[in-house]
Amino acid sequence: MPVCAVFELTTEKHFMYPNRYAGKCSNPACGKRVKPDEGYTQKVENRYICWCADCVPMQKKEAAPAYRVLTSDGKIVMPYEAKNIPLIRSLPGARWDAANKWWSVSLEMADRPRILEIADRIGLEVAPTLREVAISAQAKIAEEIGLYPFQVEGVNFLSQKKKALLGDEMGLGKSVQSLMGIPQKGSALVICRAGLKYNWFDEVQRWRKDLQPVVLSGRESFRWPKQNEVVIINSDILPACFNTPTRNSGESMQDYWAKLEQYREQLKKDNPEVDNIYTIVDEAHDFKNRKAARTRKVKEISLLCSKVVALTGSPLTNRPEDLYGVLDTIGLSKQVFGSYQRFQQLFNVRYESFKRITKAVYGKPNPIVPELLRRVMLRRLRNEVLKDLPKKVYTNLVVGNDDAALQKKLDEMWKEWNSVLVKDLILPPFHQFAQIRADLARSRIAAMHDYID
């Protein structure tokens, strides 16, 4: 199957190909500079020479039609087009087969929408069987209960991938999309900020009445969820056993990697129940610092669990390094960038030294970076889905009361005034009632700061 237009010369047994690289016309009387993808190239005596379009020395036959297809077995066959190569490289599972001159891409149903999007953008003829895009059981349920179309799309995206990042703008319902992705009769672990645990409790009760939410408090309280259960924790609850061992002074990288591999094998043996755990990492940008203990714990959880969904409205907060940190914690950095060195190349990193301190300075990212991120991340902005949204949505944030003294004061007041409130509808004295309301308001300040941050 030809993959490019080929022209046969009329007097010599050489072939003329569309030119790919910049060069100089081989006609001595011309000598014009030939740009990439302009003119033609020809192999003569084991070297390639270049001709501009006006100086091609021999009459060309009519070009054979160029194939532009995406086959049913995931092969992309098309002429070389410099502007489209970055798009093809960004596709999930993209691999170049030099021997056969074609690209192979992923056939996973989770990657199908992305493959079709790019195929249509660059004008490929797509095999009809690849147009059949299945919707997951979780997405069908989300559609039945009335989620917005873009949220149903999000549920389908999350439920079909083993690990994924949902980067929707704040207020678009990332929590409900992640909860609807939990399989029926499944078990899930939610890692969130301490001030938002009871908000997640409320969300589970609202959207997943088939699952039982459980909020854990205290450093010794961690446990894995049971079937039909959603365990909600903050990262401080994660035990020390999930803290990745550090590299000792003088320890070789080979020895450290061996130690790390042994540690992870033991961790998996000690936690056999994680095979079917669906893990949700809320505010994933909190775990951007790869050296922090809480980040290392969440990373080990991500490696252990079979399914991980990360939620963040700010995947890149201050520096490109933060983006890599988030992806690395969830186990997606290799799938997006391949390696840390490749990540730095794509962000045009240069190193500057000042007073014996070497600092990485990030430049303008390569245009392919957003395309690579779409392998694992779904991000929608409010103005993109505005047509699906109501004018205004009110959300109650449920805040747990961790103040033991205030809890005791509330219990005593309830015991004293319970019968009077219920029978006679009489409130406590104004000063006493106002004081307890003020105490309750103060108890919510920490959670308010956490939420605003």
Side-chain angles (χ1 to χ4, degrees):
M1 182 179 291
V3 295
C4 61
V6 179
F7 306 102
E8 187 177 358
L9 301 181
T10 56
T11 59
E12 297 183 49
K13 297 201 177 210
H14 297 303
F15 292 91
M16 196 80 70
Y17 299 88
N19 181 51
R20 295 186 184 180
Y21 308 105
K24 185 178 179 181
C25 181
S26 296
N27 182 359
C30 175
K32 184 169 68 175
R33 298 298 298 176
V34 180
K35 296 180 181 179
D37 300 320
E38 291 184 359
Y40 299 91
T41 189
Q42 172 189 12
K43 189 174 183 181
V44 178
E45 296 179 356
N46 293 324
R47 69 184 186 92
Y48 284 93
I49 61 175
C50 182
W51 301 96
C52 71
D54 298 328
C55 297
V56 178
M58 315 219 177
Q59 189 68 30
K60 304 181 295 293
K61 292 182 180 179
E62 185 178 352
Y67 286 88
R68 302 181 62 84
V69 297
L70 171 58
T71 64
S72 59
D73 58 348
K75 303 292 190 302
I76 293 178
V77 184
M78 60 180 288
Y80 176 84
E81 296 170 351
K83 64 180 181 179
N84 289 327
I85 292 301
L87 285 175
I88 297 175
R89 282 178 176 162
S90 73
L91 290 175
R95 295 288 184 274
W96 170 246
D97 187 330
N100 295 300
K101 308 296 183 185
W102 63 43
W103 290 88
S104 59
V105 296
S106 170
L107 289 175
E108 294 290 330
M109 190 58 68
D111 299 323
R112 191 69 57 80
R114 174 67 179 157
I115 301 290
L116 293 176
E117 176 194 349
I118 297 301
D120 291 339
R121 195 191 304 184
I122 63 179
L124 298 181
E125 181 183 344
V126 179
T129 54
L130 294 184
R131 293 286 183 187
E132 301 169 3
V133 179
I135 184 172
S136 68
Q138 289 83 2
K140 290 179 182 177
I141 295 173
E143 190 173 28
E144 290 170 1
I145 66 173
L147 262 62
Y148 300 121
F150 76 90
Q151 292 176 326
V152 174
E153 179 190 353
V155 174
N156 193 53
F157 177 82
L158 297 178
S159 58
Q160 290 186 334
K161 285 187 171 291
K162 291 183 178 180
K163 294 185 179 181
L165 182 64
L166 183 61
D168 285 352
E169 193 174 14
M170 183 179 175
L172 297 185
K174 292 189 290 294
S175 56
V176 63
Q177 292 177 65
S178 62
L179 288 173
M180 291 307 300
I182 302 173
Q184 299 295 301
K185 297 184 180 181
S187 53
L189 176 71
V190 176
I191 304 173
C192 64
R193 292 174 179 174
L196 296 177
K197 288 193 290 187
Y198 284 92
N199 189 49
W200 273 95
F201 183 94
D202 187 51
E203 289 285 286
V204 175
Q205 286 192 319
R206 179 183 178 186
W207 298 106
R208 293 303 303 263
K209 299 185 185 302
D210 58 317
L211 301 175
Q212 176 62 43
V214 178
V215 174
L216 302 184
S217 299
R219 294 184 180 275
E220 302 298 325
S221 63
F222 176 81
R223 67 173 178 82
W224 294 109
K226 301 173 184 176
Q227 190 175 9
N228 294 329
E229 193 176 61
V230 179
V231 168
I232 304 166
I233 65 169
N234 52 299
S235 59
D236 295 332
I237 290 176
L238 292 172
C241 66
F242 293 121
N243 197 350
T244 310
T246 56
R247 182 184 174 192
N248 298 326
S249 177
E251 186 177 21
S252 68
M253 282 303 300
Q254 185 177 359
D255 291 341
Y256 174 68
W257 282 112
K259 180 176 69 175
L260 191 59
E261 185 178 356
Q262 185 178 5
Y263 158 78
R264 286 173 176 163
E265 287 178 358
Q266 187 61 46
L267 201 61
K268 196 165 186 177
K269 290 179 182 177
D270 295 340
N271 299 273
E273 57 269 75
V274 301
D275 287 342
N276 297 314
I277 301 297
Y278 183 108
T279 301
I280 300 173
V281 181
D282 191 24
E283 306 294 354
H285 53 269
D286 287 348
F287 308 101
K288 62 191 178 186
N289 183 357
R290 292 184 288 161
K291 295 181 180 179
R294 68 175 182 177
T295 301
R296 296 203 302 268
K297 290 178 181 179
V298 172
K299 180 174 181 177
E300 295 306 321
I301 292 285
S302 299
L303 289 172
L304 274 176
C305 295
S306 58
K307 176 84 175 181
V308 183
V309 168
L311 312 178
T312 175
S314 308
L316 197 157
T317 50
N318 297 314
R319 305 173 303 145
E321 185 77 25
D322 298 339
L323 172 64
Y324 189 87
V326 171
L327 294 173
D328 185 64
T329 300
I330 308 304
L332 294 172
S333 57
K334 187 174 181 180
Q335 192 173 342
V336 175
F337 295 112
S339 67
Y340 184 68
Q341 289 73 24
R342 176 63 175 157
F343 159 76
Q344 289 193 318
Q345 288 174 5
L346 291 172
F347 276 88
N348 293 300
V349 170
R350 69 180 190 277
Y351 288 92
E352 295 182 353
S353 297
F354 180 73
K355 293 184 178 180
R356 298 183 180 179
I357 298 176
T358 302
K359 180 181 178 182
V361 178
Y362 287 84
K364 186 177 180 180
N366 189 298
I368 197 178
V369 170
E371 305 296 341
L372 290 172
L373 283 170
R374 290 189 180 98
R375 289 178 171 181
V376 300
M377 183 176 77
L378 184 64
R379 177 169 173 80
R380 282 77 57 89
L381 302 179
R382 182 178 292 274
N383 59 2
E384 295 173 351
V385 298
L386 203 58
K387 64 182 185 299
D388 294 334
L389 294 175
K391 291 184 178 180
K392 192 174 291 187
V393 175
Y394 293 91
T395 303
N396 291 322
L397 298 179
V398 183
V399 179
N401 178 25
D402 296 326
D403 189 334
L406 178 58
Q407 184 66 54
K408 183 179 179 181
K409 190 174 181 179
L410 285 166
D411 290 342
E412 291 174 351
M413 191 172 181
W414 179 251
K415 185 177 180 181
E416 180 182 356
W417 289 93
N418 179 19
S419 58
V420 179
L421 283 168
V422 175
K423 292 180 181 179
D424 303 326
L425 300 178
I426 298 175
L427 294 175
F430 175 76
H431 70 278
Q432 189 178 2
F433 195 57
Q435 182 61 51
I436 199 69
R437 283 173 60 87
D439 291 343
L440 280 167
R442 275 192 292 270
S443 72
R444 301 185 184 114
I445 290 176
M448 180 190 69
H449 285 167
D450 193 17
Y451 187 77
I452 291 174
D453 287 343

